[in-house]
Amino acid sequence: MKFIFDRNTWQEIFGSISKNKTRTIITIVGVLWGIFIYIALSGAAKGMDNGFEKVFESVSMNSMFVWGQSTSMPYEGFKTGRPMQLKLSDVTTLENRIPEIQNIAPRITLGNFGSDPVFTVRGQKSGSYPVNGDYPVYTRIATKKIFDGGRFINDEDIAQARKVCVIGERNLQELFEKDEDPIGQFIRIGDVYFQVVGVHKLSQGVSFDNDNAIFIPFTTFRKLYNTGENVDYFCIAAYDDVDVVQVEKDVKSLLRNIHRVNPEDERAFGSFNLGEMFTKVSGFAKGMTFLSLVVGIATILAGVIGIGNILLISVKERTKELGVRRALGATPKEVRSQIILESVFLTMIAGVMGIILGAGVLSIINSLTKDLDFPYTNPTVPIPYVLGALLIMVVLGTLIGLIPAQRAVSIKPIDALREE
Amino acid sequence: MIEIKNLHKSYQMGKNSLHVLKGINFSVEEGELVAIMGSSGSGKSTLLNILGMLDELDEGSYTLDGVPIKNLNETKAAQYRNKFLGFIFQSFNLINYKTAAENVALPLYYQRVGRKERQEKALKYLEQVGLKEWATHLPSELSGGQKQRVAIARAMAAEPKVLLADEPTGALDSKTSYEVMDLIQKINDEGNTILLVTHEEDIAHMCKRIVHLKDGVIVEDKKVDQVRAEQYV
Ligand SMILES: Nc1ncnc2c1ncn2[C@@H]1O[C@H](COP(=O)(O)OP(=O)(O)OP(=O)(O)O)[C@@H](O)[C@H]1O
Ligand SMILES: [Mg+2]
């Protein structure tokens, strides 16, 4: 062990490595390539992972939607084809009966699901947009970024059924002049004037809404359009540690119960589950990470075996030199250590260079994809991966060095010297 | 210094065995300069290699400076070589990617001498063989005679008890051979024990004693009046 920390040892090894330049370079290239592939691939996979995470950043990943369709089975005297209508009262029942639910946001809309968008006017400008009747709780399920100075619908708006609205970036562009501050201004939605209280930013990645959707308080919507207790769909967020697929099943089963639908009738309520989709997508990213890990390590392995191979050849070439060293008093252990340390040292140099090169390429990729609309963010290789790779290289370098090292000492010094 | 009794050595070649040394008895005192002569294949190198612990004897005994050399493992042999012996080879055997000074310093490295002291000693011995200015040159930049002088400096650097030289002048022209012999004589003058194998009568007569090998035994062992090489240089 003392041997490894001896400066003389390293001078000797460094001498041998730096003076056999071609051999050193050829040897290094193999491992360098391996570690480079490893870093670049796993960094890229990580970037994709990060990218997907960013895509889902503005929505609760453990969330689902449920809406009414029509029955496909007769039940308790009801005929097939009875349309299902979600009610506000369902919210309380669902919340009470399914403790896994964190938030429920009921929503009623115009301009989605086949209904016509609402003609909206401001001064000379106009457009037709979807309109949503929402509760404030909606923002706990899907984060809404509101531009400075504005806000989302609040409890007061609901309680007083105020005629206020939150508009999207597109509405802003189409209904207002450039540089005009929309907050406090009035727009006519259908026949009624609403005061703009906020502008929502379109979130990058997955979003539940378009950038031209207008939000008004649920209570206002219901009063204006006379929709009573009706709800078009529920956005439901489950707690983080809960299996949202199970919640989805529970919700639909409970709804069938409430609305007196055949418990077997899968078609009565439609649903969509974001958690499942997220699991699939992030599973893909994880798969990529794993794949790149496997490919990278295989490449490193190939590189290290290459080092072993070249060292083996070089040990053959250096038989005479090693014989001379042994005639001059090098013990087998010293000869062996020298070869192994050369192997480890070469592997390490190559590894560090590969890591630097890989990191460089990743940062180039990062700056190139920065402005692209592509789920790819901050491609970094986690430090443990890098350290792990270095460790693997030291271990492999040692193991592979053992073969030529053993060969170097297995030949008697006298035979080594006789070699021409 | 060296004591050999009834030394036998055979080489196994497939089924046949070649009996090369057939009972050598021989001793060398400290400060001697011995030439080993004999026709090609008579076993000179074999004898020298056994003395150098590069090869093992089959039968008989070998004592070096009072230490019995027997059943050495490779590690022990390496340590003894390093401590007791200096080698000079016909083909110089310098390490081609090391400079003259680095070559000379190499045995000191295996003696665990510090770097600074190694360099100082290497330069000192290079100066002794008249090659101080060539210290930073690679072997490929040196002539044959210069290479052999570097090799001699290297053999000397470890301050061994015995120097073993297998045809040190075998690859050199006669003028260069005499230069090398001059050097060897001077090293011997300082009290170092030297054994050298040679084919050439004139080189042998520059030693103080000539041992003749024939068919694996010593047929002649005589003291001679040393011819100084200096006069031919
Ligand atoms: N490793 C070996 N294996 C088999 N035979 C060997 C080996 N080394 C030497 N010999 C044989 O032993 C005999 C003596 O060889 P050695 O090298 O000692 O001769 P030498 O006197 O040094 O000859 P030269 O003057 O040509 O150098 C030769 O016949 C040689 O072929
Ligand atoms: Mg010979």
Side-chain angles (χ1 to χ4, degrees):
Chain A
M1 258 302 147
K2 184 170 160 281
F3 186 77
I4 294 178
F5 299 108
D6 190 349
R7 218 170 116 221
N8 290 328
T9 311
W10 288 103
Q11 271 156 0
E12 195 57 32
I13 285 161
F14 189 69
S16 152
I17 284 173
S18 63
K19 291 188 175 146
N20 295 288
K21 287 209 178 61
T22 330
R23 167 170 74 95
T24 304
I25 290 169
I26 294 174
T27 316
I28 281 181
V29 167
V31 167
L32 192 149
W33 179 242
I35 189 86
F36 169 75
I37 294 278
Y38 168 81
I39 294 287
L41 273 183
S42 58
K46 181 72 189 164
M48 215 142 116
D49 203 17
N50 288 345
F52 285 135
E53 211 138 288
K54 201 174 163 197
V55 163
F56 284 92
E57 134 195 289
S58 64
V59 296
S60 171
M61 287 170 213
N62 234 5
S63 57
M64 56 161 286
F65 302 89
V66 61
W67 58 90
Q69 299 175 158
S70 50
T71 57
S72 61
M73 296 178 182
Y75 191 61
E76 289 183 356
F78 292 112
K79 279 193 193 138
T80 306
R82 180 166 59 104
M84 287 291 108
Q85 178 63 58
L86 295 176
K87 296 286 179 185
L88 261 186
S89 58
D90 296 343
V91 174
T92 337
T93 321
L94 286 169
E95 270 177 341
N96 287 343
R97 300 274 291 277
I98 304 175
E100 287 86 0
I101 293 177
Q102 190 177 25
N103 289 304
I104 300 186
R107 173 180 264 191
I108 186 146
T109 78
L110 279 173
N112 296 315
F113 304 113
S115 65
D116 291 330
V118 186
F119 189 67
T120 303
V121 185
R122 176 177 184 265
Q124 304 299 315
K125 302 184 167 194
S126 64
S128 287
Y129 307 115
V131 173
N132 301 318
D134 269 305
Y135 279 94
V137 68
Y138 180 71
T139 54
R140 299 223 202 121
I141 299 170
T143 327
K144 280 266 153 276
K145 287 211 185 76
I146 305 288
F147 280 103
D148 284 351
R151 61 172 177 83
F152 195 69
I153 290 153
N154 63 22
D155 291 333
E156 293 274 285
D157 300 333
I158 296 289
Q160 298 173 24
R162 282 178 180 156
K163 296 191 183 85
V164 292
C165 67
V166 175
I167 61 173
E169 266 184 280
R170 261 252 303 284
N171 312 119
L172 179 67
Q173 279 165 20
E174 289 176 10
L175 296 177
F176 290 83
E177 300 297 333
K178 238 185 179 175
D179 303 328
E180 201 177 355
D181 183 8
I183 307 294
Q185 306 281 343
F186 285 87
I187 59 174
R188 185 160 61 85
I189 303 172
D191 301 326
V192 183
Y193 280 93
F194 280 77
Q195 189 175 27
V196 177
V197 293
V199 178
H200 67 86
K201 211 180 234 173
L202 181 68
S203 51
Q204 291 289 324
V206 169
S207 165
F208 300 159
D209 305 298
N210 293 326
D211 56 348
N212 66 347
I214 297 175
F215 300 85
I216 64 174
F218 189 92
T219 45
T220 316
F221 189 106
R222 142 186 187 180
K223 224 160 93 182
L224 281 177
Y225 295 99
N226 214 8
T227 49
E229 289 282 296
N230 289 357
V231 171
D232 280 339
Y233 60 93
F234 294 129
C235 308
I236 299 177
Y239 285 99
D240 283 345
D241 52 347
V242 168
D243 176 15
V244 73
V245 178
Q246 188 54 46
V247 173
E248 186 183 7
K249 280 187 193 135
D250 293 347
V251 164
K252 280 161 85 175
S253 142
L254 183 55
L255 285 173
R256 281 194 290 269
N257 190 331
I258 297 169
H259 293 269
R260 298 173 66 196
V261 175
N262 188 327
E264 307 288 311
D265 192 347
E266 286 296 331
R267 304 257 284 277
F269 295 96
S271 64
F272 174 73
N273 177 344
L274 209 66
E276 205 171 15
M277 187 168 114
F278 176 73
T279 314
K280 266 184 201 151
V281 169
S282 70
F284 174 70
K286 296 259 171 347
M288 284 296 293
T289 309
F290 180 72
L291 192 72
S292 63
L293 214 68
V294 171
V295 170
I297 286 175
T299 328
I300 293 178
L301 197 72
V304 174
I305 290 173
I307 284 196
N309 219 340
I310 290 173
L311 276 179
L312 202 59
I313 295 169
S314 98
V315 159
K316 265 181 105 168
E317 271 174 4
R318 289 163 72 197
T319 304
K320 187 139 191 189
E321 175 202 327
L322 296 173
V324 172
R325 284 175 181 272
R326 289 168 74 185
L328 296 180
T331 62
K333 191 180 147 221
E334 282 168 322
V335 172
R336 216 185 282 132
S337 311
Q338 178 174 352
I339 307 278
I340 292 173
L341 286 183
E342 277 182 24
S343 163
V344 172
F345 191 60
L346 283 174
T347 320
M348 289 293 282
I349 293 181
V352 169
M353 282 167 65
I355 287 173
I356 293 172
L357 209 70
V361 166
L362 285 183
S363 79
I364 291 172
I365 293 179
N366 194 24
S367 63
L368 288 182
T369 56
K370 207 178 231 152
D371 303 322
L372 290 184
D373 189 18
F374 183 69
Y376 196 88
T377 314
N378 201 12
T380 46
V381 184
I383 298 293
Y385 282 30
V386 176
L387 294 182
L390 280 177
L391 191 75
I392 288 175
M393 285 190 308
V394 172
V395 171
L396 287 181
T398 310
L399 289 180
I400 214 76
L402 278 174
I403 301 167
Q406 198 47 46
R407 214 205 111 90
V409 296
S410 68
I411 173 168
K412 283 202 299 179
I414 179 64
D415 296 323
L417 281 169
R418 227 190 304 258
E419 189 101 355
E420 276 316 315
Chain B
M1 181 60 70
I2 289 174
E3 183 91 34
I4 282 180
K5 288 202 181 103
N6 191 32
L7 184 143
H8 284 264
K9 176 74 184 176
S10 321
Y11 286 114
Q12 217 63 44
M13 317 244 297
K15 276 184 188 159
N16 306 340
S17 119
L18 181 66
H19 204 170
V20 180
L21 299 176
K22 305 168 180 167
I24 306 266
N25 290 289
F26 163 71
S27 61
V28 179
E29 300 298 317
E30 190 167 354
E32 275 197 278
L33 175 52
V34 185
I36 299 169
M37 295 197 73
S39 56
S40 188
S42 57
K44 308 180 295 291
S45 297
T46 306
L47 176 61
L48 208 69
N49 289 335
I50 290 172
L51 293 177
M53 295 176 231
L54 291 169
D55 212 345
E56 283 158 20
L57 49 80
D58 292 341
E59 215 186 301
S61 71
Y62 168 27
T63 314
L64 175 64
D65 198 29
V67 181
I69 307 301
K70 206 169 81 184
N71 296 333
L72 296 182
N73 63 29
E74 203 17 71
T75 305
K76 203 85 197 142
Q79 286 162 353
Y80 280 1
R81 281 197 292 270
N82 189 246
K83 215 158 82 186
F84 294 137
L85 301 168
F87 291 91
I88 302 163
F89 304 95
Q90 178 176 358
S91 51
F92 325 125
N93 283 347
L94 298 176
I95 292 177
N96 57 16
Y97 61 82
K98 285 180 177 287
T99 63
E102 285 168 344
N103 264 289
V104 175
L106 195 57
L108 298 169
Y109 165 70
Y110 290 115
Q111 282 183 346
R112 312 213 183 289
V113 173
R115 183 179 166 80
K116 242 188 119 194
E117 199 185 334
R118 281 204 315 259
Q119 279 170 337
E120 280 165 14
K121 276 200 171 173
L123 283 181
K124 183 182 126 191
Y125 283 101
L126 275 178
E127 189 169 21
Q128 268 192 26
V129 299
L131 289 174
K132 200 182 177 186
E133 312 80 75
W134 295 86
T136 57
H137 287 251
L138 290 174
S140 55
E141 298 159 355
L142 303 176
S143 73
Q146 286 172 325
K147 281 186 207 170
Q148 197 57 300
R149 274 146 67 193
V150 172
I152 292 171
R154 179 176 68 183
M156 295 294 298
E159 286 160 9
K161 297 199 187 303
V162 176
L163 272 183
L164 300 171
D166 196 348
E167 304 189 42
T169 61
L172 305 175
D173 63 28
S174 58
K175 185 176 177 296
T176 324
S177 297
Y178 296 145
E179 282 169 18
V180 166
M181 281 314 291
D182 181 37
L183 194 57
I184 287 175
Q185 284 178 341
K186 283 179 176 145
I187 291 166
N188 176 245
D189 290 344
E190 284 162 22
N192 292 291
T193 313
I194 304 173
L195 272 75
L196 74 84
V197 169
T198 183
H199 279 290
E200 293 147 279
E201 283 292 335
D202 53 344
I203 298 294
H205 279 89
M206 289 174 176
C207 298
K208 295 172 174 168
R209 175 181 164 194
I210 299 177
V211 172
H212 253 280
L213 277 187
K214 195 179 175 191
D215 296 332
V217 288
I218 294 175
V219 290
E220 193 186 9
D221 185 347
K222 62 175 182 196
K223 299 249 186 234
V224 291
D225 289 330
Q226 190 181 39
V227 178
R228 295 301 292 192
E230 214 169 359
Q231 55 193 306
Y232 300 107
V233 176

